[in-house]
Amino acid sequence: MNQIKALSLASAICAASFSSAVMPLPAFLGAPAQTQVTEVKHQKYRIELLVPEEGVFAGEEIDIEFRITDTTQKDELQEDLGIANVESSAVVTMPSMAGMPAQIPEIHREGIPGYYGMPLFFPHGGDYQISLKLKLPTGEMINAIFLILVQDERPAGSQPTPKPFWLKVLGFPANAAAGQPVDLKLRVIDHKTGFVQKDFQTVHEQKFHLLIASEDLGWFAHEHPTMAPDGTWTYRATFPANGKYFIYGDVAPTGKGSQILVSHVNIAKGPKPNWNTKWKANLGPVLVQGVNAKMRPIDLPVPIGKGTVVEIALTDTKGKAVLDTVPWLGAAGHLMILHRDGRTVVHSHPKEDEEATRLARLGKFRFTARFPKAGLYRAYAQFSHHGKIKTFGFGIDVR
């Protein structure tokens, strides 16, 4: 999630006969001022992305408008003439996380000629790209690229708008006991319509990444349920101890982009946890089945609300680099970062470039990461090694 070079991209657009305007973002929540591309000019046409003055926040759906005008003509208010009846489509991506599924919003016309809106949802903060394809009534085609900086979720106590989807747990038994298998049944519900979502994109070889964590985050699992025709996902789970568990659905409803939905279940019976429920910062080494893993944040102190990189080095018990991991679920590794409150989750993968290949030959893997707020985080890294998925747990104290 490295900072997008907005000015460089704007220059590239200019070279293709466009011109772009960049504007500073307000410095709020302690974040430094950034730049974003919110205006594109093509010959006599101006396309403006109307970002709210307060900014855009992760974790909530927002309707963002854009305006298309003819700068050579004026309306009755002596403003540039808005162009009606434009056929348009949009693709929203996060360039720094190439594996994140694209969002394809449905664009609607607003009540004023030249104004159009699109509902958008951003799973976490960072730099996003909005690519518009426009067909004017004259038949002219315009491609416009915008860049916006999305802030992390609003501070606790504020009133965010509802997320577009929510995760429903079906009929979980009130007397569920630790150590006994139980069917965990889930549905993804469209918040606006109340309908069950049945169409999902395949992301890293699966349509549903099920993450389960104990309330203290000391126990973690990454599984993949199966979906019935009615949209019910089922996984036969065995919980190791009594207590509350967070249930995360990492999904991508078709055309809606990445979503991490949170629910919970309670295991009423059984023994108490046999792991340390009061974990603290620990970057390793962590030993799992003959492999040591150590985490190293590249930026110190670890930045808050900004893209960063963490490196995980794997060695055997003799200190030699582990070089024989194999891809799992379409990635060299997986890293899940969970805030202590259990509500903030980031799912990351190593980059796939020449530098990543070089580091892998040294037993090192670099993951893009983001820590939206201060506090203690639990990070779980997973690698496929010798036919087994090995999970390493770390603690990161971000201040």
Side-chain angles (χ1 to χ4, degrees):
M1 289 180 281
N2 295 330
Q3 181 76 23
I4 296 176
K5 302 299 184 182
L7 291 172
S8 298
L9 180 56
S11 299
I13 297 173
C14 290
S17 78
F18 291 90
S19 64
S20 301
V22 296
M23 63 176 291
L25 280 169
F28 49 90
L29 296 183
Q34 306 287 338
T35 57
Q36 59 182 353
V37 178
T38 58
E39 181 180 306
V40 173
K41 295 179 181 179
H42 175 64
Q43 298 177 6
K44 65 178 183 177
Y45 302 107
R46 177 186 289 114
I47 306 96
E48 301 167 89
L49 188 69
L50 306 178
V51 179
E53 290 186 5
E54 68 168 348
V56 179
F57 293 85
E60 54 191 69
E61 191 171 41
I62 181 174
D63 194 83
I64 295 183
E65 296 182 353
F66 62 91
R67 176 171 56 190
I68 308 169
T69 58
D70 182 341
T71 61
T72 65
Q73 299 187 52
K74 302 295 180 182
D75 60 18
E76 62 272 14
L77 299 177
Q78 294 303 303
E79 295 181 348
D80 292 346
L81 183 66
I83 301 176
N85 303 318
V86 174
E87 297 179 17
S88 55
S89 62
V91 177
V92 183
T93 58
M94 193 174 191
S96 60
M97 295 188 71
M100 181 181 291
Q103 185 178 171
I104 306 174
E106 297 181 4
I107 297 176
H108 55 267
R109 298 173 184 176
E110 300 290 350
I112 303 175
Y115 283 77
Y116 304 82
M118 49 186 168
L120 299 175
F121 176 84
F122 303 95
H124 52 76
D127 298 292
Y128 289 80
Q129 177 175 300
I130 301 175
S131 300
L132 288 179
K133 181 178 289 187
L134 309 171
K135 183 178 180 180
L136 275 59
T138 59
E140 296 173 85
M141 299 295 299
I142 299 176
N143 294 319
I145 297 177
F146 303 102
L147 300 176
I148 64 171
L149 175 65
V150 176
Q151 299 297 313
D152 294 296
E153 68 261 27
R154 295 177 189 266
S158 58
Q159 297 294 323
T161 59
K163 293 184 178 182
F165 297 91
W166 61 282
L167 186 64
K168 182 178 182 180
V169 179
L170 300 178
F172 195 80
N175 61 347
Q180 298 182 9
V182 59
D183 283 336
L184 181 59
K185 296 184 177 182
L186 307 166
R187 284 180 179 171
V188 176
I189 309 296
D190 186 308
H191 184 87
K192 289 182 178 179
T193 66
F195 295 156
V196 178
Q197 178 71 21
K198 301 178 183 179
D199 297 321
F200 298 86
Q201 292 177 246
T202 299
V203 181
H204 287 284
E205 301 182 1
Q206 297 288 338
K207 292 187 175 182
F208 197 121
H209 292 269
L210 172 63
L211 311 178
I212 306 174
S214 56
E215 185 176 23
D216 57 72
L217 306 184
W219 182 88
F220 173 84
H222 176 181
E223 306 295 348
H224 303 96
T226 56
M227 191 184 79
D230 67 352
T232 300
W233 295 90
T234 302
Y235 176 74
R236 188 79 165 164
T238 301
F239 295 86
N242 67 18
K244 179 180 174 180
Y245 289 81
F246 291 108
I247 306 298
Y248 304 97
D250 187 352
V251 295
T254 301
K256 302 298 184 180
S258 179
Q259 317 264 335
I260 297 184
L261 312 176
V262 187
S263 190
H264 71 274
V265 298
N266 187 65
I267 304 301
K269 300 179 180 180
K272 295 181 179 180
N274 61 2
W275 57 83
N276 183 9
T277 60
K278 296 182 179 180
W279 51 272
K280 56 184 179 181
N282 174 26
L283 299 181
V286 177
L287 179 64
V288 175
Q289 298 176 327
V291 176
N292 275 307
K294 190 170 184 179
M295 175 180 283
R296 181 173 70 92
I298 299 302
D299 298 318
L300 289 175
V302 176
I304 298 174
K306 181 181 179 182
T308 186
V309 175
V310 296
E311 178 181 279
I312 296 177
L314 302 180
T315 58
D316 62 20
T317 54
K318 296 181 180 179
K320 294 183 179 180
V322 172
L323 306 177
D324 53 353
T325 60
V326 296
W328 175 53
L329 298 175
H334 294 256
L335 179 66
M336 277 64 66
I337 302 172
L338 302 91
H339 188 271
R340 183 65 181 83
D341 63 12
R343 310 302 300 182
T344 300
V345 183
V346 175
H347 186 170
S348 179
H349 311 93
K351 290 185 176 181
E352 298 178 4
D353 54 20
E354 292 183 3
E355 177 67 6
T357 301
R358 183 188 70 80
L359 288 170
R361 296 193 187 104
L362 302 174
K364 299 179 179 180
F365 302 87
R366 288 191 172 183
F367 295 82
T368 55
R370 190 178 185 91
F371 300 90
K373 53 192 175 185
L376 193 59
Y377 287 80
R378 191 72 163 162
Y380 285 96
Q382 295 187 297
F383 300 91
S384 179
H385 182 247
H386 290 182
K388 297 180 179 179
I389 304 304
K390 298 183 178 179
T391 302
F392 304 89
F394 305 94
I396 308 172
D397 193 2
V398 179
R399 298 182 181 276

